[in-house]
Amino acid sequence: MDDVWLVDFYAPWCGYCKKLEPIWHEVGAELKSSGSPVRVGKMDATAYSGIASEYGVRGYPTIKLLKGDLAYNYKGQRTKDDIIEFANRVAGPAVRSLPSRQMFDHVLKRHDVLFVYVGGESPLKEKYIDVASELIVYTYFFSASEDVLPESVTLPELPAVVVFKDGSFFTYDQYEDGSLSSWVNRERFQGYLQIDGFTLYELGETGAADRHGNTSLLRQELTSRYLRVATEYRGHFNRDFQFGHMDGNDYINSLIMSEVQVPSVIVLNTSNEQYFLPQEPVNTLEQLVGFINSVLDGSAQAHGGDGIFQRMKRVAYDARSTVMSVFRSSPLLGCFLFGLPLGVISLMCYGMCTAESDDGADDMELMKRDAFTHNALLCPPHPQQLCGGFSPSC
């Protein structure tokens, strides 16, 4: 309990766990050589299922940093640098002090998004420490006195919580921004992002109750226009939208189970899996703002969702995608995996149909025999029958 442990909960049969293993050894070696207080280990969660259940392990691999009575779940990408950065961030204090202007400038250059508490002891600082303890898995938190900040930074009142990003700074207002945790969770992203599947997952983790978690997708041709909207209309859209761009359309096509052209503008609601597409081409800044406003006021047509029909469609789409990917990667394997069961089923169906036909023929033959016997019994006996002859009436 006195040590800080970074633990990989794994299963021996898990392919992702085996892929992580060499990276995990590199993480342990680098943390040890750098003198980090974080100790690195791994545990077979299938052999020690009780302990794994105690720490809430539900999938493999699960990476957790154990610090005293707290267990922090790692949700980032499984690369050496990202895991080490997470370990060093969470292992340290929840709130780090910036004692000088030089230190502030150094930290500001290293971080795209920087949260700073400015002021002395206060209830706001207690809230800030609590939020930092909860959200340190995502970002760093700092504290400083007012004279440490650049002269260009003027705050309306102290104490204050400030976020530095996108070449500017923004101050938390508890009356307009709601809870501090929601505000930090929303502001921990830059105003404009390069978006991939992992980023979309993180955006979905921010909490749909506090904001819609909407994300916009575009290509290089729309970048400057979108940057203007993200900056000039920040006050209007910041609570509900996160702007960014995604290269290509493969991921977005699989997400919405449809195909969008490139370049395109699309709004995704990560809370209910709905998406919105403009009815007309978006060629000007005014058209882009108008489309986003139509999503905001509910007049834009929504597609997708998380209803029962969409879930059934998702199951069918995933099954089809799996089959297609198998045939693309290995046609022979695909023919064996799917052709053999189909062949067996076809033979079974043929056998059942043939069996029914044979039974029908046997029934007809039996009926004919019964009819012949019945007619023979109706024919009266004739003396000539004793001699091997037959009665004309028969």
Side-chain angles (χ1 to χ4, degrees):
M1 296 299 293
D2 296 331
D3 296 325
V4 180
W5 279 94
L6 184 66
V7 182
D8 167 28
F9 293 90
Y10 71 97
W13 44 261
C14 172
Y16 293 106
C17 301
K18 295 176 181 178
K19 186 177 180 180
L20 176 64
E21 188 170 356
I23 300 174
W24 198 249
H25 282 286
E26 293 178 5
V27 169
E30 184 159 331
L31 286 174
K32 184 177 181 180
S33 63
S34 65
S36 171
V38 179
R39 304 180 69 179
V40 180
K42 63 180 182 178
M43 175 176 287
D44 184 349
T46 62
Y48 300 95
S49 57
I51 297 178
S53 178
E54 179 183 345
Y55 284 105
V57 177
R58 295 181 176 85
Y60 310 113
T62 294
I63 299 174
K64 289 181 178 286
L65 188 135
L66 311 180
K67 182 181 176 183
D69 294 331
L70 301 176
Y72 296 92
N73 196 23
Y74 177 68
K75 300 179 181 180
Q77 301 188 53
R78 298 185 188 118
T79 64
K80 183 189 73 171
D81 293 338
D82 287 333
I83 295 174
I84 289 176
E85 198 272 343
F86 163 81
N88 288 329
R89 180 174 70 247
V90 180
V95 179
R96 293 166 166 84
S97 176
L98 298 175
S100 65
R101 176 78 60 83
Q102 182 180 5
M103 180 63 72
F104 175 85
D105 293 337
H106 172 72
V107 171
L108 186 61
K109 290 178 180 178
R110 291 188 57 190
H111 299 276
D112 295 324
V113 179
L114 184 67
F115 290 97
V116 182
Y117 171 83
V118 184
E121 299 296 327
S122 68
L124 179 61
K125 185 175 183 179
E126 295 178 3
K127 292 181 181 179
Y128 182 75
I129 295 174
D130 291 339
V131 171
S133 300
E134 175 190 356
L135 300 179
I136 196 172
V137 293
Y138 298 113
T139 187
Y140 283 91
F141 293 87
F142 297 91
S143 65
S145 58
E146 189 176 16
D147 57 353
V148 169
L149 303 180
E151 296 178 357
S152 58
V153 177
T154 57
L155 302 177
E157 61 180 2
L158 293 178
V161 178
V162 188
V163 58
F164 295 85
K165 66 176 186 178
D166 303 327
S168 184
F169 68 93
F170 308 95
T171 306
Y172 166 69
D173 186 330
Q174 62 178 336
Y175 300 106
E176 294 184 1
D177 298 320
S179 69
L180 180 60
S181 177
S182 300
W183 180 80
V184 170
N185 218 358
R186 183 170 64 245
E187 295 291 346
R188 63 187 177 90
F189 299 98
Q190 292 178 270
Y192 189 82
L193 293 172
Q194 167 74 39
I195 295 177
D196 54 19
F198 175 74
T199 311
L200 281 177
Y201 171 79
E202 274 203 302
L203 290 171
E205 288 284 298
T206 57
D210 300 316
R211 71 188 190 99
H212 297 301
N214 296 321
T215 308
S216 301
L217 167 75
L218 72 165
R219 287 285 291 175
Q220 186 69 28
E221 295 83 354
L222 301 174
T223 300
S224 59
R225 196 177 305 147
Y226 249 59
L227 280 171
R228 285 188 60 189
V229 173
T231 54
E232 296 177 15
Y233 291 83
R234 171 185 162 83
H236 189 53
F237 295 139
N238 181 60
R239 288 178 178 270
D240 303 290
F241 293 89
Q242 173 66 54
F243 295 90
H245 73 275
M246 179 179 287
D247 291 330
N249 62 351
D250 291 340
Y251 184 85
I252 204 69
N253 287 346
S254 66
L255 191 67
I256 67 175
M257 296 180 288
S258 182
E259 186 169 352
V260 296
Q261 300 298 319
V262 176
S264 293
V265 176
I266 183 171
V267 176
L268 300 175
N269 190 328
T270 56
S271 64
N272 61 9
E273 299 182 11
Q274 288 185 338
Y275 65 94
F276 304 83
L277 295 169
Q279 300 297 320
E280 301 177 355
V282 178
N283 298 321
T284 65
L285 183 68
E286 290 73 19
Q287 289 175 329
L288 181 57
V289 173
F291 168 59
I292 299 174
N293 277 323
S294 69
V295 175
L296 198 58
D297 61 26
S299 61
Q301 181 180 0
H303 305 275
D306 56 0
I308 183 65
F309 175 75
Q310 287 296 319
R311 293 179 184 178
M312 294 172 62
K313 184 179 178 182
R314 168 60 64 185
V315 172
Y317 181 87
D318 290 343
R320 176 179 173 274
S321 300
T322 301
V323 173
M324 295 300 294
S325 64
V326 170
F327 274 99
R328 279 195 299 265
S329 60
S330 179
L332 293 177
L333 179 61
C335 291
F336 176 77
L337 290 177
F338 301 103
L340 182 61
L342 288 176
V344 172
I345 294 173
S346 300
L347 290 174
M348 292 175 63
C349 293
Y350 176 77
M352 292 171 63
C353 294
T354 304
E356 291 178 359
S357 299
D358 292 342
D359 292 342
D362 293 341
D363 292 341
M364 290 297 295
E365 183 67 24
L366 183 60
M367 290 174 63
K368 290 179 181 179
R369 292 178 179 178
D370 290 342
F372 178 79
T373 305
H374 181 68
N375 291 333
L377 291 173
L378 290 177
C379 294
H382 194 277
Q384 293 182 1
Q385 287 183 331
L386 301 176
C387 313
F390 295 91
S391 169
S393 62
C394 291

